[in-house]
Amino acid sequence: MTSKAEGPLRGIVVVDLTRVLAGPYCTMVLADLGARVIKVELPVLGDDARHSGPFIDQEGQGPVSGYFFSVNRNKESIALNLKSPEDREIFEALVEEADVLVENFSPGTMHKLGYDWDTVHARWPELVMASISGFGQTGPYRELPAYDMVVQAMGGIMSLTGEENGPPTRVGVSIGDIAAGMFGVMGIQAALLERHRTNRGKHIDVAMLDTQVALLENALVRYQVEGKVPGPIGSRHPSITPFGVFKAKDDPFVLAAGRDAKFAVLCEQLGRAELAQDPRYTTNPLRCENHAALKADIEEALADKTAKQWMAIFKRAGVPCGPLYDVSQLMRDPQIAAREMLVELPLPSGSTLRTAGNPIKFAGDAAPDHRPAPALDQHRQQLLNEINAIQTSRRQK
């Protein structure tokens, strides 16, 4: 079985047992990079995400889940019941031709199905297998169910998010699922590289909770060095100032000028050059200590011009700044368009829907073609034909 797409992973075949978000995000990125991804779903119901909104009305064809559509492009779908002997035979024929098997069931489920790592590795020693779960394949929590909200809370992310002295706040995107998906892609590609040297597959074990710990940046070190538990501080940075959201005459926008030289330029452009010599602000540590007073001084100076006017001034002077977009503004930005970060995919009705593109670009390569998320069991006959052709060819040899 060969990949039908261009890209660095062309020729890699992935059998995808995942559903909802973390696993499908992982396999979507692999598909974007050129792998052929064959999505194995439950008969009738399919991936749980097919039943999650928002739904797109298809004029007599039934609703399509925008949730499912957004993370399953460039894949093929076949519906198989892995408890059925006939369907298991088809599944195993697919795995026989695959390079990678990805699953995000609760730990222990693959063992019950007869496809745990030890069994799979003994039968297909070159196969790379990735397991993405809430808490991983080991440890006291391995069998507990987990959702994005749970791992954001347990991983410390929520304790750092929100306004100062405010309640813990969930990050506005499913960072627990998406981070696990991204780390899954990295692990799979590393295992494929090692397989090239050893001809042996590996089992990648990615836990959503682990990925949240990995994203904590400097919070762990700050706690140990300062002896204080870090908490939410709004949009500002704990160790770089000024760095955050500032209000102009009309709208807020962001400024990031933590280095002393940039801070001096910022003050000059604000018409407040004396601020750079203020004893409270002469170094970054002092500015962090006096962040509230500095924010008030900066916003007092910003009050006489609009955010757009200030950003034009700061950009000419080389001061890092940017607008505070909502989703509708983001979708109209020319830089987003130039980077092809919105992929237009056709819907069954003939209309189109834009989803987020792949941020990994390869210099000199043309933008890849993208296929919409598949209908449930859409590629069944095509895949069965391929399997039959492969098996016939082997028998003839």
Side-chain angles (χ1 to χ4, degrees):
M1 303 183 82
T2 59
S3 178
K4 300 179 179 180
E6 297 297 329
L9 294 185
R10 179 179 174 84
I12 298 296
V13 177
V14 178
V15 173
D16 177 10
L17 282 174
T18 68
R19 71 265 189 246
V20 189
L21 183 52
Y25 191 90
C26 169
T27 54
M28 180 184 70
V29 174
L30 294 173
D32 284 347
L33 295 174
R36 181 179 184 182
V37 176
I38 300 167
K39 186 175 179 70
V40 177
E41 303 184 66
L42 284 171
V44 183
L45 294 175
D47 185 335
D48 294 347
R50 289 186 183 274
H51 310 286
S52 298
F55 293 101
I56 307 152
D57 187 15
Q58 288 296 288
E59 299 179 3
Q61 300 182 49
V64 171
S65 165
Y67 188 112
F68 178 86
F69 197 85
S70 67
V71 290
N72 285 284
R73 64 171 175 257
N74 297 331
K75 302 178 187 180
E76 300 164 60
S77 172
I78 183 169
L80 298 174
N81 177 1
L82 296 186
K83 296 179 181 179
S84 157
E86 295 81 5
D87 283 2
R88 287 173 68 89
E89 187 176 338
I90 296 169
F91 174 72
E92 290 171 14
L94 291 171
V95 175
E96 178 75 29
E97 303 304 320
D99 301 280
V100 182
L101 173 64
V102 188
E103 60 92 8
N104 67 341
F105 294 119
S106 298
T109 301
M110 291 295 281
H111 177 77
K112 292 175 184 175
L113 291 170
Y115 299 119
D116 56 279
W117 169 242
D118 288 341
T119 302
V120 165
H121 189 52
R123 186 168 178 182
W124 299 288
E126 294 185 17
L127 184 73
V128 169
M129 180 172 168
S131 298
I132 301 172
S133 62
F135 298 106
Q137 304 299 306
T138 60
Y141 302 156
R142 68 182 293 269
E143 295 182 359
L144 294 178
Y147 284 90
D148 175 81
M149 183 77 168
V150 174
V151 299
Q152 281 199 37
M154 292 181 67
I157 298 290
M158 285 179 60
S159 77
L160 301 171
T161 306
E163 291 301 319
E164 192 162 4
N165 299 317
T169 304
R170 176 185 176 273
V171 176
V173 297
S174 298
I175 194 71
D177 284 290
I178 292 170
M182 291 191 293
F183 278 103
V185 171
M186 286 186 269
I188 289 166
Q189 292 184 109
L192 287 171
L193 282 172
E194 184 175 29
R195 189 187 71 168
H196 183 70
R197 295 191 299 267
T198 65
N199 293 321
R200 304 285 289 179
K202 292 186 84 74
H203 186 201
I204 299 107
D205 172 10
V206 175
M208 292 168 63
L209 178 61
D210 293 355
T211 68
Q212 298 306 278
V213 176
L215 295 178
L216 284 178
E217 193 190 355
N218 61 37
L220 295 170
V221 173
R222 279 193 290 122
Y223 166 62
Q224 295 169 84
V225 171
E226 297 175 357
K228 296 185 295 184
V229 177
I233 56 173
S235 63
R236 70 181 180 87
H237 195 280
S239 54
I240 305 173
T241 304
F243 189 106
V245 177
F246 295 85
K247 181 72 166 64
K249 182 179 181 180
D250 54 351
D251 296 315
F253 68 106
V254 296
L255 278 171
R259 290 192 294 119
D260 293 346
K262 286 293 182 189
F263 178 63
V265 174
L266 169 66
C267 294
E268 183 178 342
Q269 297 301 313
L270 286 170
R272 296 289 305 276
E274 74 279 3
L275 289 177
Q277 305 305 319
D278 189 308
R280 297 172 296 172
Y281 309 145
T282 52
T283 66
N284 183 63
L286 286 170
R287 291 193 293 275
C288 290
E289 185 179 335
N290 296 288
H291 63 87
L294 179 56
K295 182 178 176 71
D297 285 337
I298 290 174
E299 290 191 329
E300 181 181 19
L302 292 173
D304 67 344
K305 292 183 178 68
T306 66
K308 185 175 181 180
Q309 289 171 325
W310 279 119
M311 283 188 286
I313 292 169
F314 294 144
K315 285 176 182 177
R316 284 195 297 270
V319 176
C321 63
L324 186 62
Y325 280 159
D326 61 26
V327 173
S328 66
Q329 292 168 316
L330 164 78
M331 294 183 75
R332 298 192 299 269
D333 186 89
Q335 180 68 15
I336 302 301
R339 297 289 295 171
E340 299 180 313
M341 276 309 299
L342 293 175
V343 175
E344 196 164 89
L345 299 174
L347 292 165
S349 64
S351 60
T352 60
L353 188 71
R354 286 185 289 170
T355 63
N358 190 336
I360 304 170
K361 314 293 183 184
F362 297 95
D365 285 5
D369 293 327
H370 291 290
R371 291 173 286 112
L376 178 61
D377 211 26
Q378 178 180 338
H379 301 91
R380 182 182 191 84
Q381 193 56 54
Q382 170 192 322
L383 289 166
L384 293 180
N385 291 343
E386 286 188 68
I387 290 169
N388 289 335
I390 290 167
Q391 292 175 341
T392 300
S393 175
R394 284 182 179 155
R395 284 193 296 270
Q396 290 173 346
K397 292 179 180 178

